[in-house]
Amino acid sequence: MLANELYAELTSERWTDPAQELCECGERAVVPPPAPKADAPPKKPVMDLVVLIDGSDSIEEGHWKPLLDWVWSFLSKFETSEELKNKYDGTSTMIIVQYSTAPSYVEHHAMLSELESLKAKLNSMIQMAQGTETFHALQFIMSEQGPLEQLHKQQIFGAVDNFVESLLVITNGRARDEITMDSEAILSEVHERFENVVVVGMGSELAGNDQQIRDIASEKCGQELVFKVDHVTLL
């Protein structure tokens, strides 16, 4: 019954198409078309940055806190940089992973828009002080149990069309598991996945034998993304 009433009401002569309305003088009124809807601004890309920190016993206990302070000074640039805020979405995430001897890892993360919350977690991070198993750590961060996959599941990452992943490796000396792991396959996967792989190599061991960290780093514009310092205090 109600449907019939609505139909009758809408088809009665009292309802007309606005485009067909006549003005009082009998001339057809000109009804401007509706303004086109403004396109939504393009969504900013998401950038997830993994910082892989060597927590091995090759770093003296008194130098662990200065290393963490340096890491925070690096990350805080993302928090204060208007250029980065304008370029990347606020859901971009900074992920800190301390590694030493597998399979133990310490991981914390925070979105770019909430980066200050990462500072306290970083300052309270206890050094693992075991071996330097860098290739195990690289494999871990790309695994199903790693922080990236877990983060993407939480974010329903499939809904994001434009994203980049970058990796910063901070290591004191050479990795001890290059031969025991399938290092070539791991590095191939690392370089395929991450937009940039930057390596900060610390310690005199790398002064004359840095091929390993150069293999880990990716190239950009023909230049390897490798930075070396003789000691953690020189960061």
Side-chain angles (χ1 to χ4, degrees), residues 27-198:
E27 297 178 354
R28 192 171 301 281
V30 178
V31 180
K37 293 182 179 179
D39 293 335
K43 187 173 177 60
K44 296 177 184 177
V46 170
M47 180 196 67
D48 291 334
L49 171 65
V50 180
V51 180
L52 203 55
I53 307 174
D54 178 3
S56 67
D57 54 8
S58 61
I59 299 175
E60 297 177 26
E61 183 178 354
H63 296 147
W64 177 244
K65 182 61 167 60
L67 174 58
L68 296 183
D69 289 343
W70 180 86
V71 171
W72 173 249
S73 69
F74 168 76
L75 290 177
S76 64
K77 297 182 187 302
F78 290 83
E79 183 182 40
T80 58
S81 172
E82 291 300 322
E83 179 183 358
L84 289 171
K85 289 180 180 180
N86 292 332
K87 185 176 181 180
Y88 294 110
D89 189 81
T91 59
S92 299
T93 303
M94 309 288 106
I95 303 171
I96 306 294
V97 178
Q98 181 195 168
Y99 74 96
S100 187
T101 299
S104 298
Y105 303 96
V106 177
E107 181 264 321
H108 299 295
H109 68 269
M111 291 191 300
L112 187 61
S113 57
E114 303 172 349
L115 199 56
E116 183 66 28
S117 65
L118 194 60
K119 186 175 183 179
K121 296 176 182 177
L122 189 62
N123 286 335
S124 63
M125 185 180 284
I126 298 174
Q127 183 181 3
M128 299 170 74
Q130 297 177 30
T132 306
E133 296 191 353
T134 308
F135 289 93
H136 275 92
L138 291 171
Q139 186 180 62
F140 166 71
I141 62 174
M142 297 183 294
S143 69
E144 286 290 329
Q145 295 74 37
L148 283 170
E149 294 304 321
Q150 296 302 314
L151 176 67
H152 297 169
K153 289 177 183 178
Q154 296 173 14
Q155 294 177 333
I156 316 178
F157 205 66
V160 179
D161 296 325
N162 190 7
F163 68 94
V164 294
E165 293 175 334
S166 295
L167 172 64
L168 169 62
V169 180
I170 305 173
T171 179
N172 191 72
R174 292 172 50 82
R176 304 308 177 197
D177 57 347
E178 181 178 18
I179 297 177
T180 57
M181 297 290 290
D182 190 351
S183 56
E184 289 188 7
I186 292 172
L187 291 182
S188 177
E189 186 178 354
V190 166
H191 294 152
E192 182 177 351
R193 174 160 190 165
F194 292 98
E195 185 80 10
N196 296 302
V197 182
V198 182

